[in-house]
Amino acid sequence: MASETPTGPVSGPGTGPASGTSLQVLRRLDTGPRGLTDAEAAARLATHGENAPPRPRTPSALRHSLRGLRDPFTTVLLTLGLVSAFVASWGTATVILALVAVSCALRAAGERRADRSLAALRELVAGTATVLRRTDDSAAPRAHEVPVADLVPGDVVRLGPGDLVPADVRLLRAHGLTVSESALTGESAPVAKAAAELPRPLAESHLCFQGSAVVAGGATAVVVATGAHTRFAAAQRTPEAREPSAFDRSVHGIARVLVRFMLLTPPLVLMAGAALRGRGLQTLPFAVSVAVGLTPEMLPVIVTTCLARSAALLARTRRVVVRRLPALHDLGAIDVLCVDKTGTLTQDRPEAARSLGPDGRDDPEVLRWAAVGAWWTLQLAELPAPDALDEALLAVADGGPPARAKSRVGDVGEEYDGLAALPVAPGRRLATAVVAGRPGRHLLITKGAAEDVLERCELPDAERRRLLALAAREAETGRRVLAVATAERPARTRAYTPADERGLTFRGLVTFHDELTPGAAESLRALAALGIQVRVLTGDHPATAARVCRELGLEPGEVWTAGADAGGDPGGADGTTTVVARCTPEDKARVVAGLRAAGHTVGFLGDGVNDVAALLAADVGIAPRGAVAVARESADVVLAEKDLTAIGHAVTAGRSSSANIAAYLRVTLSSNLGNVLAMLAAGLLLPFLPMLPVQVLAQNLCFDAAQLAFAHDRPAPSELRRPTVLRPPAFLRFITGFGVLNAVADLATFGVLALALNGPDALDDQAVFHSAWFTENLLTQALVMLLLRDGRRLARGGRPGPVGWAAAFLAAVGLAVPPSPLGTALGMTALPAPYHLLLAAVLGLYALALTVAETRHARHGP
């Protein structure tokens, strides 16, 4: 019955609905070589659904905007804005609600881009497929085109050159079938497929997967999995929702503590005002203004400006596109970068390294025989493209640059006439070319896996074992090994078959290594200088990956083999593992998740569908522009080329932005905390409000405008040498220490004013007090900006940066506003000269204390 048809994915070799013989698979799927009837197909379509990737659920624009309220600062700002509107403090309410709207809009725009990440899946699925269907059980099957979405398990389909495989299929018959699986694996070399009746254990040559493309040949196959159950869909599926990024975790950790303090501030001010001064609700606007004063309300603007400027610079100068702006901060924070080997550290192209005779010594003649065999196999077998190893041999023959090759083989093959070829095929790991030799003689040139070639050579058992050991030693160094043998036969017209590959004379071995990517070694050194550890996640043999790492100067350490080392440390969180070999897509995602669980900030570079799960699991997913569409759309950062150098530049840009954002938060929150503590103390001691709400708002606006300079500043080189991470405990200690110091300066100003204003009613001179404290607050904030950011630059005799000039602007505003008409409108007045001298004395002592504290923090701080 159709309802009994298996629905699970092709989970792995030897398991799932595609395991067993062809007859067993057909019986399990309740179908046959003639295909399904139209009624059976319709019933299964209703049961299994369309053969299409899952459609992403796209929230509405309103839902996207409401999600922005999840940010703790945004939520508190909204609450304070509504309270301000409730007490008719319209100026405060307008500014706060405008900032909330900007924050929500920025977050909504980013999330709408992320929701489109899975849309590219459909681009890799063919529109129609050729399927065998029958009108009823007695009718003959007929081949016709149906939409790919209508395919169901049990359908029998036909594949030809240029077709995209429409679902996961088990081959029933195949002729010269070669399939490109680059969309799934990222590997460009085509893979030979065959309809093996009893597939070898762990083999997949009898399976074709959705998203791959037929390069040559043809086949008839039965569909074993469709839709969300295909390997194509499983490769990009993540079991859990993406965790918060490093940026979100750090900012939210700090925000949670500040939010608690901000929520406590208005009730404390209200209760103190009611208990000590009997002012009650009259204090509410001031209390709201004080709470707003602690909020880094410019954070969304500063963050967006910093990241957008760096992203635009990367796109313009390095051709690096940052698709999700917060990812640039996360990129600056990464301390582990996971990469694959092929295409990143090595080119997707082997290179001939050595040719060894039977005695293990260099023998150029072996390379010549191998190149002749490669040339005539390619010419006579009519292959769609040369094998990667054959291409490397032909490159040597054409005068290419083989590493450490002792000679060139010249115009290979021209001295011979090609007669026949027996190419590599599924289950067959050697190839033979037959050429005309001496008059009346034919020459067989066989090359392939050492075990297979030596098995066909006339050799004593001891000699065969010695040569196998020689090949094994070469393979243990991480090189691929090709054995070469020849045989002379009497000329004949009868066709040659694999049975003729007997009684061969062993000629020697040719070894190959992966050609290193130009500049990879320098890029790895640059990443190491940035404090970034590189993990190589590859499907290759452990020895091959380890050798490549050593050639690049990257110590492989303990090599972890996926599957074999189940009890090991796949993530290498302890720093001893650099290479993880034999990786599956699930292994890659598991390694990334393990590193993140160990506290690392992880970047992952990938380009295939099999990399999507790891791209989504990492803090920062990175893909080259040439990656498959779904990998590119799932990535946070897109590179013009698969280049580690570009990643180094992007990391530096991210750290520059992060350093500016961290400096803004340190300066703003320490200054704001000091002002809030001083205002709370003054509110308890004074018979009037220490500052009017409109004055608090004006002060905040001036400070906010000056802080825009942080988005344009250039951090010191020392700040770019290590990952930038905001650690909440250390960060909160910093702002608490410097905030208390700022509060002491404010209270010292309060004491000076109390002594300077003579007479019993001195403190009733509210305008003078408000003016003096307004000026003092802006001057202390200017000092904080200057000394905590530009102090070292100025001490070295450097010119002030944007922050230095902004601090000077802020100080000028603090001195100029009180005596101006604007100051009069805000309830302030001009200060006599003696007051300025007293303020200068207080500020001089504060600057000295701030310099000492900053020097001590730089020496002993994190």
Side-chain angles (χ1 to χ4, degrees):
M1 296 296 292
S3 60
E4 298 173 352
T5 305
T7 60
V10 183
S11 56
T15 63
S19 62
T21 65
S22 299
L23 182 58
Q24 290 171 332
V25 171
L26 292 172
R27 285 178 175 173
R28 193 178 300 123
L29 293 168
D30 193 16
T31 186
R34 300 195 305 159
L36 301 173
T37 65
D38 292 336
E40 288 173 333
R44 296 189 184 191
L45 184 62
T47 301
H48 301 297
E50 288 189 349
N51 175 37
R55 292 179 181 272
R57 297 179 60 185
T58 304
S60 64
L62 177 60
R63 185 181 295 272
H64 273 299
S65 299
L66 293 177
R67 283 181 177 178
L69 298 178
R70 294 176 299 183
D71 179 80
F73 280 132
T74 304
T75 303
V76 173
L77 278 175
L78 177 61
T79 303
L80 294 176
L82 295 176
V83 172
S84 299
F86 177 74
V87 298
S89 182
W90 301 113
T92 303
T94 301
V95 172
I96 293 175
L97 294 177
L99 290 172
V100 169
V102 169
S103 176
C104 291
L106 291 173
R107 181 176 292 272
E111 290 190 353
R112 284 186 68 84
R113 286 194 300 269
D115 283 340
R116 293 193 293 266
S117 63
L118 296 181
L121 278 171
R122 293 185 174 273
E123 297 178 10
L124 296 177
V125 179
T128 61
T130 303
V131 62
L132 296 181
R133 291 269 178 88
R134 296 170 291 148
T135 55
D136 53 50
D137 288 335
S138 60
R142 56 189 180 87
H144 61 284
E145 297 288 319
V146 300
V148 165
D150 292 345
L151 287 182
V152 295
D155 263 329
V156 176
V157 297
R158 289 179 177 173
L159 302 174
D163 287 346
L164 289 178
V165 179
D168 286 358
V169 299
R170 176 24 158 116
L171 298 176
L172 302 177
R173 293 184 299 277
H175 174 68
L177 184 64
T178 306
V179 174
S180 171
E181 296 182 339
S182 60
L184 285 165
T185 65
E187 301 289 339
S188 60
V191 180
K193 299 287 184 177
E197 185 59 26
L198 267 176
R200 292 182 291 108
L202 301 181
E204 290 188 335
S205 59
H206 62 299
L207 302 174
C208 293
F209 302 104
Q210 185 185 56
S212 52
V214 178
V215 176
T220 301
V222 60
V223 174
V224 295
T226 60
H229 301 294
T230 63
R231 180 172 295 189
F232 182 76
Q236 53 82 33
R237 185 187 304 127
T238 51
E240 299 176 358
R242 188 170 187 170
E243 297 179 3
S245 67
F247 177 79
D248 292 331
R249 294 196 303 270
S250 58
V251 171
H252 286 192
I254 297 164
R256 280 191 290 270
V257 177
L258 294 175
V259 164
R260 296 188 187 102
F261 188 81
M262 290 161 55
L263 293 177
L264 288 174
T265 298
L268 288 175
V269 175
L270 286 175
M271 289 187 293
L276 299 179
R277 302 296 177 187
R279 290 194 287 261
L281 289 177
Q282 299 174 359
T283 315
L284 182 57
F286 173 72
V288 172
S289 299
V290 170
V292 172
L294 185 61
T295 308
E297 60 267 25
M298 291 296 291
L299 182 61
V301 178
I302 297 293
V303 168
T304 303
T305 306
C306 283
L307 298 180
R309 289 185 72 251
S310 294
L313 184 64
L314 279 175
R316 186 171 63 253
T317 62
R318 304 294 178 184
R319 300 172 67 198
V320 175
V321 178
V322 180
R323 301 183 62 252
R324 184 178 63 88
L325 280 183
L328 189 57
H329 174 97
D330 295 339
L331 196 59
I334 66 171
D335 56 353
V336 175
L337 176 65
C338 296
V339 302
D340 59 359
K341 179 182 71 67
T342 305
T344 304
L345 305 180
T346 63
Q347 301 184 51
D348 193 8
R349 182 170 68 245
E351 184 179 66
R354 298 181 66 191
S355 56
L356 307 175
D359 57 359
R361 298 178 181 178
D362 289 326
D363 185 352
E365 189 70 10
V366 179
L367 187 63
R368 187 182 73 84
W369 282 119
V372 171
W375 170 257
W376 284 112
T377 300
L378 178 64
Q379 296 298 314
L380 298 173
E382 298 182 355
L383 299 176
D387 173 82
L389 298 184
D390 285 350
E391 196 169 28
L393 292 170
L394 295 175
V396 176
D398 292 338
R404 298 185 296 277
K406 301 300 182 184
S407 70
R408 297 285 186 262
V409 297
D411 297 326
V412 61
E414 289 188 359
E415 69 273 33
Y416 298 103
D417 291 327
L419 301 174
L422 302 173
V424 174
R428 171 182 159 84
R429 301 189 300 167
L430 49 80
T432 296
V434 183
V435 298
R438 293 180 300 160
R441 310 292 289 179
H442 289 173
L443 184 64
L444 277 68
I445 306 171
T446 300
K447 56 182 176 58
E451 297 86 350
D452 296 59
V453 172
L454 285 169
E455 181 183 348
R456 291 161 172 79
C457 292
E458 286 187 348
L459 292 169
D461 290 342
E463 178 67 4
R464 183 177 288 105
R465 286 194 297 269
R466 185 187 71 81
L467 293 173
L468 284 173
L470 173 64
R473 285 196 299 272
E474 290 296 321
E476 286 171 359
T477 66
R479 292 186 172 92
R480 282 183 272 185
V481 179
L482 192 72
V484 182
T486 62
E488 198 172 58
R489 300 279 191 268
R492 74 188 197 197
T493 57
R494 179 167 48 89
Y496 283 89
T497 69
D500 295 305
E501 297 168 331
R502 291 286 184 272
L504 306 178
T505 301
F506 182 73
R507 293 290 186 177
L509 303 173
V510 180
T511 65
F512 301 82
H513 66 186
D514 291 327
E515 188 174 351
L516 300 181
T517 300
E522 292 79 4
S523 299
L524 289 174
R525 287 193 291 270
L527 290 173
L530 292 171
I532 298 174
Q533 303 174 37
V534 175
R535 299 283 191 276
V536 180
L537 313 184
T538 178
D540 280 349
H541 189 279
T544 302
R547 181 193 59 78
V548 169
C549 289
R550 283 191 291 268
E551 287 187 0
L552 292 169
L554 183 66
E555 182 54 45
E558 179 184 353
V559 179
W560 190 83
T561 303
D565 299 336
D569 175 23
D574 57 3
T576 62
T577 301
T578 298
V579 176
V580 182
R582 302 296 193 197
C583 264
T584 65
E586 294 78 12
D587 291 325
K588 293 181 180 181
R590 187 155 56 95
V591 167
V592 171
L595 288 166
R596 292 191 70 192
H600 293 285
T601 303
V602 185
F604 180 85
L605 173 63
D607 57 4
V609 173
N610 61 328
D611 293 324
V612 171
L615 285 168
L616 294 174
D619 289 286
V620 184
I622 309 168
R625 184 177 57 183
V628 298
V630 67
R632 192 170 59 247
E633 292 297 322
S634 299
D636 303 304
V637 177
V638 178
L639 311 176
E641 304 293 341
K642 204 173 184 181
D643 182 12
L644 293 179
T645 302
I647 296 179
H649 291 304
V651 167
T652 301
R655 290 184 181 178
S656 178
S657 299
S658 300
N660 286 339
I661 294 169
Y664 158 76
L665 285 172
R666 290 190 183 99
V667 170
T668 298
L669 292 177
S670 59
S671 180
N672 287 357
L673 179 62
N675 289 338
V676 167
L677 293 175
M679 285 188 180
L680 290 177
L684 298 177
L685 299 174
L686 293 177
F688 53 82
L689 294 178
M691 288 186 73
L692 299 177
V694 67
Q695 294 169 351
V696 175
L697 180 61
Q699 174 186 283
N700 290 341
L701 288 175
C702 293
F703 193 30
D704 290 342
Q707 289 170 110
L708 288 172
F710 283 102
H712 302 270
D713 199 24
R714 179 176 295 178
S718 59
E719 298 182 71
L720 307 179
R721 294 180 188 142
R722 62 182 183 275
T724 303
V725 180
L726 295 174
R727 296 180 175 86
F731 187 85
L732 292 172
R733 284 196 300 271
F734 177 93
I735 65 173
T736 301
F738 283 90
V740 169
L741 184 60
N742 186 285
V744 170
D746 287 346
L747 292 175
T749 302
F750 167 70
V752 167
L753 292 174
L755 294 175
L757 296 174
N758 299 318
D761 296 328
L763 290 180
D764 289 334
D765 193 346
Q766 300 181 30
V768 174
F769 187 91
H770 292 161
S771 302
W773 209 351
F774 179 88
T775 298
E776 187 270 345
N777 276 338
L778 290 186
L779 291 176
T780 55
Q781 288 171 338
L783 279 175
V784 171
M785 291 178 62
L786 185 66
L787 296 180
L788 294 188
R789 185 58 173 169
D790 265 8
R792 296 182 190 178
R793 182 184 299 170
L794 296 176
R796 293 192 298 265
R799 298 178 60 185
V803 174
W805 291 113
F809 162 78
L810 192 62
V813 170
L815 294 170
V817 166
S820 69
L822 177 60
T824 302
L826 296 174
M828 291 184 285
T829 186
L831 293 175
Y835 293 100
H836 289 99
L837 294 177
L838 292 173
L839 290 177
V842 172
L843 292 171
L845 293 174
Y846 174 62
L848 178 61
L850 192 64
T851 302
V852 172
E854 198 276 337
T855 303
R856 180 180 178 83
H857 176 268
R859 186 181 300 119
H860 302 290

